Amino acid sequence: MQIFSYLLTTIARCSNWLFVKSKVLPEHPIEDYELDPSIPTFYVARLDSVSDMVALDVMCKKLGLPRPSQKARIGNKELNRFVGIQTPPSVFGNSHKPSDALEHSKAIFEALKDSDNTDAQVIPVTILWGRNPGKEKPGVGTLLSNSLTPSWLRKCFVILFSGRDNFVRFSRPIELNQLLNDKADVEELPHKLLRVARVHFRRQKLAATGPKLPSREQLFNSILASQSIKKAIAEEAKAKGLSQEEARLQALRLLDEIAANYSDAMVRVADRALTWLWNKLYNGIEVNNSDKVQALADKGHEIIYVPCHRSHMDYLLLTYVIYHQGLVPPHIAAGVNLNFFPAGPIFRRSGAFFIRRSFSGNKLYSAVFKEYLSQLFIKGYSVKFYTEGGRSRTGRLLPPKTGMLAMTLQSMLRGIDRPISLVPVYLGYEHVMEINTYLKELAGNSKKNESIFGIFKAIKNLKNYGRGYLNFGDPISVNQFLNEHQPDWRDSIHPTETQKPAWLNKRVADLADVIMTEINNSAALNSVNLLATILLSNEQFALPKSQLLQQLDLYLGLHRHAPYHDNATVPDSSPEGLLDHALKLDKFDIIEDSFGSIISVKEKERALLNYYRNNILHLFAVPSLIAQQLFNRYSLTVDECRKEVALLYPLFAKEWFLTDLKTGYIESIFEYFAAKDLITFDGHLASVNKDGSALAQLEMLGKVIHLTLERYAITINLVKRHQGLSRSELEKESALLADRLGTLHGIKSPEFFDKKVLSAFVTSLKEQGFIEQDEAVGIRGTESLHTLEQYLKTLLPARIHQSIQHIV
């Protein structure tokens, strides 16, 4: 028997060397899970398979972990390290031999109880061969997928065809000594361990591969058979004078337009193509907080990704990162404008489903789309959609479009069993490939439709785009959100009812704001957006290199020691390293003279760099405001600062989707300024150090939000001096005045003239009680508006106020 086992293991090792290429997650399990290789270590896997054990053995050897092929010693007992819960079936038939996993587990617990040393760790390991979920109706693809437990003969074919896509995921270890302390019944503990492991492996497999795929015909028939679609078809037939069959065919055509046609083979091909593309385009993709998503998958949550939308690259980048985190690629809500040949069929087979920009006037389309989305959730597919609706042309988050979110909540009211969690995602780039197009559109050019020619042009212009950044935000449990804000929401659950409950719109709007706030909480600082923030705050868009590095060091330290939010990320590089990297991206010039180097923004990049600055402007809102206060007055108490920040912060929060200020945040900024010798601070009073460069550094930081304050001042002055303006008149006049001020002072920031931004500010003024609106008498300012106007006068240069008042 030992000879046979040795021979089998030898064959498996040879096969592994020839056919297997493994990917491990996490990449550094010892550090990530604080594993201790020196204590007895055991591995629990789903299958008692020699090939699985060998794949794990090879990986453990590389990682420096105890190898599963070797025995573990507890006291005077030697025990197998590898515990497979289920044995493979026989070659002919589906019968399984009883597994000896329970006996192994009992032996481990008994050895621990008999030994003085009870330190031991059991590490669950998910081992998959390929990521094919299989079909609901078995076929050849299913036989070679993870959906069935393979016999040794089938496993040979699985390794042959999927060995290059072997996947090994280590999970957080189970510390057996804690189990022994919690429950002394050794007889029960092995059963409990294996029950927990079985649930864990089911969830891990579902998270990595997704549920089994129905055929397109099966899916369509099940959707058309639903009560809500039957009702919609009947109403469509009656409203348009169609026969029942004609209306049904129309619904079928809409489904064909909408539905994805996910293919694991296409995803594998896309993975290899995208790996080449990222290496061609970027110097690296930095991913942060992915453990938050894995924790949801471990708990069996339905995951909905809600990223910001900067570029068409977002579709590819987020899906690629999710796939490489060992999770199934989500079904993606894509604009129907992307459904053109050949991109449309490729996107569809990669998981994209297509959505029209508007549902208005088409009740059948609305019903079909909602039912399709509900089916995705019910079957357990992860989904991705963009709450902004379209790509941001200014670099700021757009006001959320709540249609998809509303349909998500309505799907919950159909009675989905799994908890649903929304995962906000911040996406940032050091270069957005559509940036020039965005600027033209903001200048008034019409938006061009996507086409195959645009793809060829983009491929032709491939170049070094620097780095990409993807930060996962704090997940939002939709169930918990509704429990807190709408405790009676479960009363609205009905398996077929499509009527919206009265509370839905309000809760959707609140939830959308939470999503946008979490996205901005997770912003990524990088070399380009930091340099843009510094250089665009100087009138000549240039600084001596030494002064630029000094200011860059100030900003890096500020966000390391006084962070706005823990999820926001700061580069590990030094100021010199960030500058060297940014200079390679051809956005900045170096001018040499006898006094040294000057770094300036290239003239063609001046308007474009506003986009990257706007990605992170919200992170500087409070520090910039405090710096401006200090620069103007030279001394400031914490209480004065807190009171004045409270006046503007609600407007900032509404515009930039900011979270509530952390307790002690303002004090931490003062403490950091004191540590950098810009001020002296005794915990109550801050005084500027007028010697050295303190004033210059505070002035530059204070200018970061000047354009925002100037926009505020324009609208507020119009209200004050022209009481009774209608809302449309106020927005129109504000836009004209912004345009005039931009010409006078060389302002080229796109959002400065954006009518949507001005309109949102007017709404914010009304919500915060700074203005009152009456249809008969128009808009009038309140007493608090006068206070706000006087405060703005202390923050902005006199020449700006003079220009505004002169034009008004």
Side-chain angles (χ1 to χ4, degrees), residues 711-719 730 734 758 761-762 765:
R711 275 194 294 104
Y712 290 2
I714 288 169
T715 303
I716 290 167
N717 271 272
L718 278 170
V719 173
L730 176 60
S734 294
L758 288 168
F761 178 61
V762 174
L765 286 174

Side-chain angles (χ1 to χ4, degrees), residues 114-379:
D114 294 341
S115 171
D116 295 333
N117 180 14
T118 59
D119 282 339
Q121 55 195 4
V122 171
I123 305 174
V125 183
T126 304
I127 303 168
L128 297 175
W129 301 87
R131 308 274 285 279
N132 185 351
K135 300 282 188 182
E136 287 185 357
K137 284 187 176 180
V140 175
T142 302
L143 294 175
L144 299 176
S145 74
N146 292 288
S147 59
L148 298 173
T149 302
S151 65
W152 68 265
L153 182 60
R154 275 190 48 230
K155 193 62 170 276
C156 292
F157 288 101
V158 168
I159 292 172
L160 182 63
F161 289 101
S162 301
R164 308 302 289 178
D165 290 311
N166 177 248
F167 176 75
V168 178
R169 178 183 283 283
F170 292 88
S171 295
R172 195 168 293 281
I174 303 167
E175 295 184 6
L176 297 185
N177 59 331
Q178 290 185 359
L179 287 178
L180 286 169
N181 292 335
D182 293 342
K183 191 170 182 127
D185 186 358
V186 177
E187 290 297 321
E188 176 60 24
L189 287 178
H191 293 276
K192 180 180 178 181
L193 177 64
L194 296 184
R195 282 198 305 270
V196 170
R198 287 189 184 97
V199 172
H200 173 77
F201 290 132
R202 279 199 297 270
R203 289 177 175 174
Q204 288 290 304
K205 179 184 169 299
L206 184 65
T209 68
K212 292 181 182 179
L213 297 172
S215 70
R216 203 167 168 80
E217 182 182 0
Q218 275 181 293
L219 177 64
F220 287 7
N221 287 338
S222 67
I223 290 175
L224 292 174
S226 69
Q227 292 300 315
S228 60
I229 297 300
K230 285 181 177 178
K231 181 180 176 183
I233 288 172
E235 291 175 352
E236 181 79 1
K238 183 179 179 181
K240 295 187 177 179
L242 304 173
S243 69
Q244 195 77 7
E245 183 59 25
E246 286 173 329
R248 187 179 185 280
L249 287 173
Q250 193 171 330
L252 188 61
R253 283 193 292 271
L254 292 174
L255 263 176
D256 192 53
E257 174 192 314
I258 293 167
N261 189 21
Y262 183 84
S263 164
D264 175 66
M266 177 60 74
V267 170
R268 290 202 308 273
V269 171
D271 173 46
R272 285 158 176 76
L274 288 177
T275 298
W276 170 84
L277 183 65
W278 301 140
N279 290 333
K280 179 82 173 175
L281 288 181
Y282 300 109
N283 293 331
I285 305 296
E286 295 190 14
V287 180
N288 292 286
N289 305 325
S290 59
D291 57 312
K292 297 176 186 289
V293 185
Q294 185 57 47
L296 294 177
D298 290 345
K299 295 174 184 175
H301 282 225
E302 171 70 31
I303 301 175
I304 301 174
Y305 301 93
V306 278
C308 60
H309 203 4
R310 311 280 193 216
S311 165
H312 281 318
M313 279 294 175
D314 300 344
Y315 296 106
L316 307 175
L317 179 59
L318 179 53
T319 300
Y320 179 83
V321 167
I322 291 168
Y323 186 72
H324 277 261
Q325 293 300 317
L327 301 172
V328 63
H331 279 52
I332 308 162
V336 75
N337 59 307
L338 293 177
N339 190 17
F340 61 89
F341 185 83
I346 293 173
F347 289 156
R348 198 184 292 277
R349 292 182 71 78
S350 300
F353 58 96
F354 294 98
I355 180 172
R356 296 178 182 178
R357 292 296 180 192
S358 173
F359 291 13
S360 66
N362 197 333
K363 292 183 178 179
L364 182 59
Y365 180 85
S366 178
V368 167
F369 189 89
K370 288 178 181 177
E371 184 63 29
Y372 174 73
L373 190 64
S374 291
Q375 287 297 316
L376 291 182
F377 293 144
I378 290 168
K379 288 180 178 295

Side-chain angles (χ1 to χ4, degrees), residues 23-37:
K23 176 178 175 61
V24 64
L25 281 174
E27 292 183 4
H28 308 288
I30 295 177
E31 293 82 358
D32 292 352
Y33 295 148
E34 298 180 352
L35 302 179
D36 185 354

Side-chain angles (χ1 to χ4, degrees), residues 106 112 165 205 268 302 390 403 483 505 552 573 631 649 669 681 684 736 745 754 777:
K106 286 181 179 178
L112 281 171
D165 290 311
K205 179 184 169 299
R268 290 202 308 273
E302 171 70 31
N483 289 340
N505 288 346
L552 186 54
S573 303
F631 177 77
Y649 195 77
I669 294 171
F681 181 56
H684 171 68
L736 290 171
H745 297 280
D754 193 324
V777 298

Side-chain angles (χ1 to χ4, degrees), residues 535 540-548 579 583 588-602:
L535 292 173
Q540 301 305 317
F541 311 109
L543 275 176
K545 181 178 178 180
S546 58
Q547 193 175 351
L548 175 63
L579 179 59
L583 292 175
F588 307 95
D589 280 327
I590 304 178
I591 304 168
E592 301 286 353
D593 61 20
S594 57
F595 297 100
S597 300
I598 295 174
I599 310 298
S600 69
V601 178
K602 286 180 179 288

Side-chain angles (χ1 to χ4, degrees), residues 381-651:
Y381 296 107
S382 59
V383 172
K384 176 177 74 174
F385 60 79
Y386 299 92
T387 49
E388 294 171 280
R391 291 165 292 159
S392 170
R393 266 63 177 174
T394 63
R396 300 152 53 97
L397 287 185
L398 301 174
K401 302 284 181 66
T402 55
M404 283 291 294
L405 198 56
M407 285 186 278
T408 299
L409 264 65
Q410 283 181 281
S411 297
M412 282 188 66
L413 300 181
R414 298 276 299 274
I416 297 172
D417 294 332
R418 303 170 72 201
I420 292 181
S421 286
L422 302 166
V423 178
V425 186
Y426 174 91
L427 291 158
Y429 306 90
E430 291 181 328
H431 181 83
V432 172
M433 67 178 185
E434 302 102 324
I435 189 73
N436 288 296
T437 304
Y438 291 168
L439 201 62
K440 290 175 184 176
E441 290 176 14
L442 289 168
N445 290 9
S446 59
K447 180 181 180 293
K448 293 182 179 179
N449 292 329
E450 280 72 25
S451 69
I452 183 61
F453 302 106
I455 292 178
F456 287 141
K457 185 178 179 181
I459 292 173
K460 181 183 175 183
N461 294 331
L462 290 181
K463 60 177 182 179
N464 177 17
Y465 288 160
R467 295 192 182 104
Y469 299 84
L470 193 153
N471 292 346
F472 292 101
D474 288 334
I476 303 162
S477 168
V478 180
N479 304 64
Q480 183 179 334
F481 178 88
L482 290 177
N483 289 340
E484 293 175 359
H485 296 89
Q486 194 67 41
D488 63 344
W489 69 275
R490 286 185 174 82
D491 297 341
S492 303
I493 291 177
H494 192 281
T496 59
E497 184 59 58
T498 57
Q499 190 69 29
K500 288 196 302 185
W503 52 262
L504 186 70
N505 288 346
K506 169 63 175 162
R507 295 300 163 233
V508 167
D510 294 342
L511 185 56
D513 281 344
V514 174
I515 291 169
M516 306 308 274
T517 300
E518 288 296 341
I519 290 173
N520 264 351
N521 286 350
S522 305
L525 297 166
N526 62 52
S527 62
V528 172
N529 58 35
L530 282 167
L531 289 178
T533 301
I534 296 169
L535 292 173
L536 293 180
S537 299
N538 287 273
E539 292 181 359
Q540 301 305 317
F541 311 109
L543 275 176
K545 181 178 178 180
S546 58
Q547 193 175 351
L548 175 63
L549 290 172
Q550 185 182 39
Q551 198 70 8
L552 186 54
D553 181 63
L554 176 70
Y555 290 3
L556 289 170
L558 174 65
H559 291 287
R560 287 170 183 158
H561 301 287
Y564 161 74
H565 196 278
D566 292 339
N567 284 346
T569 56
V570 186
D572 292 330
S573 303
S574 65
E576 292 80 5
L578 287 176
L579 179 59
D580 289 343
H581 172 72
L583 292 175
K584 295 173 184 175
L585 301 178
D586 198 32
K587 298 180 186 297
F588 307 95
D589 280 327
I590 304 178
I591 304 168
E592 301 286 353
D593 61 20
S594 57
F595 297 100
S597 300
I598 295 174
I599 310 298
S600 69
V601 178
K602 286 180 179 288
E603 188 168 351
K604 67 176 183 178
E605 296 285 343
R606 288 178 185 175
L608 304 180
L609 281 175
N610 284 283
Y611 186 96
Y612 305 107
R613 178 187 61 180
N614 288 343
N615 290 176
I616 60 163
L617 193 58
H618 62 285
L619 299 180
F620 288 89
V622 175
S624 178
L625 188 59
I626 293 174
Q628 188 63 49
Q629 292 171 321
L630 288 166
F631 177 77
N632 289 343
R633 301 187 209 171
Y634 299 130
S635 65
L636 186 69
T637 68
V638 172
D639 289 340
E640 288 172 336
C641 179
R642 191 179 290 114
K643 181 179 178 181
E644 292 169 358
V645 167
L647 188 63
L648 275 171
Y649 195 77
L651 298 175

